[in-house]
Amino acid sequence: SIGASLPANIANIANTEPRADRALTEKLFVLVEEIEYLRDELSMLPNGMQSFMDDGIKKLIEVCETTIKNTREAPRLFLHDLGNIEPPPDIEDVKKVIDMYPETLNDKNIDGLLPIQSAILPKNGGGIKYIALLADEASKREYRGIERGGLLLPVPKKRICVLDWLVRLVKGGKTSYDKLCEYALKEIHKAGLLMNE
């Protein structure tokens, strides 16, 4: 069957993608099957004939290695760039990525930030709606040094934490996205991540 040779989690993504995006994944699965067939053929070729194919095989290996590396990086890059993706991903889709790659919640980007810190950065406020989800999922996994799912981590270039930043944005009422902050705070409260003091 198509994709039988691929890891289960990649095959899973293909089955949950919107119809329009599946064509590329389906093509990849077909190519994997063809490469499997080619492997059987190559093992039976005489050495002299094999040498004519070596350059093409080397190029194919390079492309495959680069693709695998990029594919492994994709979930981490996705979580760090949530606020800039157009159209914005659904919360359910972000949760699927976290469920499949939970370690990405604890992966720092080149600036040394976790996804929850990256989410508050975009000036358009696009990442704010994901903060509650990121915090809730990280808190369930109890990563060392990430109290309350990262809500107490500092906001880059500010002297306050993520949670305090959200509160200040709502109280200030001067931003075009204070409703997003209110939503985030309500979801954080629902998740039980606010202390009852």
Side-chain angles (χ1 to χ4, degrees):
S1 74
I2 291 177
S5 307
L6 291 178
N9 61 343
I10 294 176
N12 233 1
I13 290 174
N15 293 330
T16 58
E17 285 176 355
R19 202 89 180 122
D21 297 341
R22 289 189 64 181
L24 198 57
T25 310
E26 292 291 333
K27 187 166 187 168
L28 173 66
F29 291 167
V30 170
L31 283 171
V32 168
E33 286 185 344
E34 287 178 17
I35 288 169
E36 283 286 320
Y37 178 75
L38 184 63
R39 184 177 70 176
D40 295 339
E41 268 189 14
L42 289 175
S43 66
M44 294 184 280
L45 293 177
N47 287 340
M49 188 173 166
Q50 173 92 29
S51 63
F52 289 108
M53 304 170 79
D54 284 350
D55 284 343
I57 291 170
K58 284 176 189 169
K59 286 177 187 167
L60 180 61
I61 289 168
E62 285 173 23
V63 168
C64 287
E65 285 174 345
T66 301
T67 303
I68 288 168
K69 181 180 179 245
N70 292 343
T71 301
R72 288 185 177 147
E73 284 281 298
R76 183 180 65 80
L77 296 173
F78 173 76
L79 285 191
H80 276 286
D81 207 33
L82 284 172
N84 298 310
I85 299 171
E86 288 296 332
D90 292 334
I91 295 279
E92 296 78 27
D93 290 336
V94 175
K95 183 154 179 9
K96 280 180 197 171
V97 171
I98 292 169
D99 288 342
M100 290 176 67
Y101 306 96
E103 69 284 355
T104 55
L105 290 167
N106 201 26
D107 280 346
K108 293 182 177 179
N109 65 9
I110 55 169
D111 298 319
L113 304 177
L114 292 171
I116 194 164
Q117 292 168 292
S118 297
I120 207 151
L121 291 180
K123 289 188 167 64
N124 65 1
I128 292 172
K129 76 176 186 176
Y130 305 106
I131 288 176
L133 174 68
L134 295 170
D136 187 31
E137 294 296 324
S139 70
K140 287 175 187 171
R141 288 163 177 86
E142 298 178 358
Y143 290 119
R144 237 175 106 206
I146 307 179
E147 291 181 66
R148 286 201 261 169
L151 290 171
L152 302 181
L153 291 170
V155 174
K157 299 180 184 172
K158 308 282 180 200
R159 293 185 176 168
I160 56 175
C161 67
V162 172
L163 183 59
D164 195 22
W165 183 244
L166 287 172
V167 172
R168 286 182 189 209
L169 287 174
V170 171
K171 284 184 178 174
K174 294 178 183 174
T175 67
S176 58
Y177 48 87
D178 55 325
K179 293 286 181 207
L180 286 171
C181 295
E182 280 182 43
Y183 165 80
L185 288 168
K186 283 178 186 169
E187 293 299 307
I188 289 165
H189 179 69
K190 274 191 215 169
L193 294 171
L194 296 178
M195 297 293 188
N196 295 320
E197 296 173 351

